[in-house]
Amino acid sequence: MAGEIIEKIAALKRQRRAVILAHNYQIGEVQDIADFTGDSLGLSIEAAKTDAETIVFCGVRFMAETAAILSPEKTVLLPEAMAGCPMADMIDAKQLAELKKRRPAALVVCYVNTTAEVKALSDYCCTSSNALQLVRSLPADREIIFVPDRNLGQYIVDRTGREMILWPGYCLTHARITAEDVAKARATYPDAVVMSHPECNSEVRACSDELLSTGQMLKFAAGSARRRFIVVTEIGIIHSLKKANPGKEFIPVSDRAVCPNMKKITLEKVLWSLQDMQYRVTVPEDIRVRARLALDRMLEVIPK
Ligand code: 13P
Ligand code: SF4
């Protein structure tokens, strides 16, 4: 059954001149049929440079929107119309405009987990891969507003020493992970390295060995001489980590760390998406042009 669906997807992909991009949190079956899997930064780079006519984006809406902002001439499809990111919806354009009015001299940095409208009101965009470098590159005398993730924001403040005005948004999935979960996993696997995502809360970040984006976790695990890793982020990445590192062991810190929106996409939905060319994601041109500026400034900052 799955084999049949995969064959149909491959045939339609050729017919539509399509490329399939999948985030590291997607279910294993979807990651396995993708042309490219990666973190938010890697997927944005791929979306900007592909010469395919259609991009099937296996992720959440803001990721497909980012692809549509970067490649307006392409057809961008999200296989599940309701796959959103609750954190991205924790600030809207009206709220950001009000905050900017109160701090008119501030530069606005938005996490890529935002709507196109919020990106259009921002000076810079960043992902968890390049946030530190991006904020370090900003003029020291300028006030900075950072939206919407207070956890990623506080991590940047802690690492760079730059004070920022933080919006109180957060990821509901990473919020389910507690410092007790980390302590329990460490007690069971004392030799393991604890790799956590900066979207985790401050107590979890404080008891971690490494704070990394999902793409950075993949690089770190591949380059490390250590054999065992406690993975403190959404569980989908365990699939990518195991696949890339067959001799190493990856332990999810909590089986509650599941992003329900990332899990809405299935092989069937990818097939239907290519069959019916649905669900098309577009961004109004005036918003797209302004959001593109913030994304272009982000794409100039590739972490070393
Ligand atoms: P990265 O893959 O960029 O680390 O982002 C994690 C995330 O939560 C995306 O929604
Ligand atoms: Fe949004 Fe969190 Fe899901 Fe990422 S894991 S898409 S930040 S809800």
Side-chain angles (χ1 to χ4, degrees), residues 40-41 109-114 119 124-132 134-135 146-147 152 156 294-295 298:
S40 305
L41 182 63
V109 180
C110 69
Y111 192 20
V112 71
N113 300 40
T114 40
K119 287 185 179 74
Y124 299 85
C125 186
C126 72
T127 75
S128 45
S129 286
N130 62 4
L132 295 178
L134 189 123
V135 169
F146 185 83
V147 299
L152 178 66
I156 301 169
L295 282 168
M298 169 183 98

Side-chain angles (χ1 to χ4, degrees), residues 116-153:
E117 289 79 6
V118 165
K119 287 185 179 74
L121 288 177
S122 302
D123 298 296
Y124 299 85
C125 186
C126 72
T127 75
S128 45
S129 286
N130 62 4
L132 295 178
Q133 287 90 334
L134 189 123
V135 169
R136 282 190 183 119
S137 75
L138 301 180
D141 58 342
R142 294 290 295 276
E143 199 172 39
I144 302 171
I145 292 171
F146 185 83
V147 299
D149 186 9
R150 65 178 178 213
N151 289 310
L152 178 66

Side-chain angles (χ1 to χ4, degrees), residues 19-27 30-31 33-34 36-38 43 55-61 63-64 76-80 83 261-262 265-267 269-271 273:
V19 67
I20 300 178
L21 307 183
H23 188 266
N24 290 321
Y25 294 162
Q26 289 290 295
I27 61 167
V30 169
Q31 291 192 30
I33 52 124
F36 183 87
T37 53
L43 294 171
I55 299 175
V56 180
F57 215 115
C58 302
V60 290
R61 179 163 292 272
M63 296 181 173
V76 179
L77 303 174
L78 183 63
E80 164 55 61
N261 284 283
M262 285 284 183
I265 294 177
T266 59
L267 279 184
K269 288 184 188 174
V270 175
L271 175 62
S273 173

Side-chain angles (χ1 to χ4, degrees), residues 23 25 59-60 62-63 84-88 111 113 149 170-174 199 233-234 258-262:
H23 188 266
Y25 294 162
V60 290
F62 77 80
M63 296 181 173
C85 168
M87 184 214 278
Y111 192 20
N113 300 40
D149 186 9
Y170 64 97
C171 166
L172 298 168
T173 297
H174 286 86
E199 284 179 17
T233 189
E234 210 276 347
V258 178
C259 174
N261 284 283
M262 285 284 183

